[in-house]
Amino acid sequence: MADAPRVSPIIGLVVAVTAVSSGAILVRLSGAPSSIAAFYRVLFTTVPLAPIAVWRYRTQLAAITRRDLGFATLSGVALALHFAAWFESLAWTSVAASVTLVQAQPVFVALGAWLLLRERVTTRMAVGIAIAVAGMVAMSLGDLLGGVLVGPRPIYGNGLALFGAVMAAGYVLAGRSIRQRVALVPYVVVVYGICTLSLLAIVLLEGHSLTGYPPTEWALFVGLAVGPGLLGHTVVNWALAHLESSVVSVSLLGEPVGATLLAFVFLSEAPTLATLVGGAVVLGGITLTATGRGT
């Protein structure tokens, strides 16, 4: 553990989860294409970090090996696909379903680590994965079978959110070994830089304009970078130096709860019973998976 910080890590986590929870609402408030919102979120998150990386970590940046750069590229592309898929999912399904399903990445990290890295899956983790998958099925099919839908194409939107969770897991798995050798700031600047270029390619392939958006859209882009980006994930990474990873992982399950409440307040979007029940099951499964290592 690092030296005791001036600010309580628990308070930091509360700030981080609140900031991250605002991401889905800001995306829904934006009228820009989802890939544009994703592109500017990552770009505006990277810009203030890049000079710090160059000024304070130039030696570590220069020492990144070709192999690590390859894994960083995989990590950055996976992160770009995560953002692109998740932002798009919010146009088709409810905030509650999208945020809950995309938060299932610990389940896919556990599966990927078992398949690719030969890491052991404990009994508790296996049970957690099974419960989370059951909850995902309940969320994706419950509203459709019940005849009450939130979103124009909830099954499609849920599928995009799940794909976003898989890509987030790929981002974590690809970067896991690199973080053991490279400090946080140079690592995220390289990965975010690759992510930004990947999202730029997606934007250009889709034929969207990079300019011409009203001031409210630029404010939302900056809000996505400052809120969920810098105050959210950056503070989470800071908290990892002072708290157990399981505590931090489980605390992030507050994001679907916070996003659902914010969607109800600001978007008048009330989740259906199937979404609430299925979401609770998913969160329970993720909790078991995230805390099951070594059990």
Side-chain angles (χ1 to χ4, degrees):
M1 283 295 174
D3 294 336
R6 295 182 179 179
V7 178
S8 168
I10 299 299
I11 294 177
L13 278 181
V14 172
V15 172
V17 171
T18 302
V20 170
S21 298
S22 69
I25 310 305
L26 294 174
V27 173
R28 285 288 289 270
L29 291 174
S30 174
S34 56
S35 56
I36 285 287
F39 167 72
Y40 280 116
R41 166 182 167 156
V42 181
L43 176 65
F44 291 161
T45 302
T46 308
V47 166
L49 294 175
I52 300 174
V54 172
W55 180 256
R56 295 191 59 185
Y57 299 95
R58 66 182 72 179
T59 302
Q60 289 204 38
L61 281 173
I64 294 177
T65 65
R66 185 174 300 178
R67 180 174 180 272
D68 281 350
L69 185 59
F71 278 107
T73 299
L74 290 175
S75 184
V77 171
L79 185 61
L81 293 174
H82 157 73
F83 280 128
W86 177 47
F87 279 30
E88 182 66 15
S89 79
L90 288 162
W92 302 101
T93 190
S94 68
V95 168
S98 175
V99 177
T100 301
L101 292 172
V102 83
Q103 190 63 268
Q105 60 96 357
V107 173
F108 296 109
V109 168
L111 287 172
W114 173 59
L115 291 171
L116 302 175
L117 305 177
R118 303 302 180 190
E119 293 186 4
R120 187 171 69 93
V121 175
T122 66
T123 301
R124 184 169 177 170
M125 291 171 68
V127 172
I129 291 170
I131 291 174
V133 171
M136 293 173 198
V137 173
M139 287 186 70
S140 297
L141 298 181
D143 292 342
L144 183 64
L145 296 176
V148 180
L149 304 178
V150 179
R153 292 177 63 188
I155 298 296
Y156 175 63
N158 291 351
L160 285 173
L162 278 175
F163 179 75
V166 173
M167 290 299 100
Y171 157 68
V172 171
L173 290 170
R176 176 174 286 179
S177 63
I178 307 174
R179 277 291 289 121
Q180 297 173 6
R181 297 180 295 277
V182 181
L184 175 64
V185 172
Y187 167 74
V188 296
V189 165
V190 171
V191 172
Y192 287 0
I194 294 168
C195 178
T196 301
L197 293 175
S198 300
L199 285 168
L200 177 60
I202 293 173
V203 167
L204 296 177
L205 286 173
E206 292 178 346
H208 300 307
S209 173
L210 292 171
T211 58
Y213 300 99
T216 52
E217 289 294 339
W218 292 107
L220 289 170
F221 299 157
V222 172
L224 282 166
V226 173
L230 294 174
L231 291 178
H233 292 287
T234 302
V235 174
V236 167
N237 284 314
W238 167 79
L240 280 170
H242 306 284
L243 296 170
E244 293 82 0
S245 60
S246 59
V247 174
V248 176
S249 297
V250 173
S251 73
L252 289 175
L253 300 185
E255 179 186 355
V257 178
T260 300
L261 291 173
L262 290 173
F264 180 73
V265 172
F266 292 103
L267 304 176
S268 300
E269 183 179 288
T272 65
L273 179 61
T275 297
L276 289 174
V277 174
V281 174
V282 171
L283 295 181
I286 296 171
T287 301
L288 281 175
T289 304
T291 59
R293 193 172 303 277
T295 302

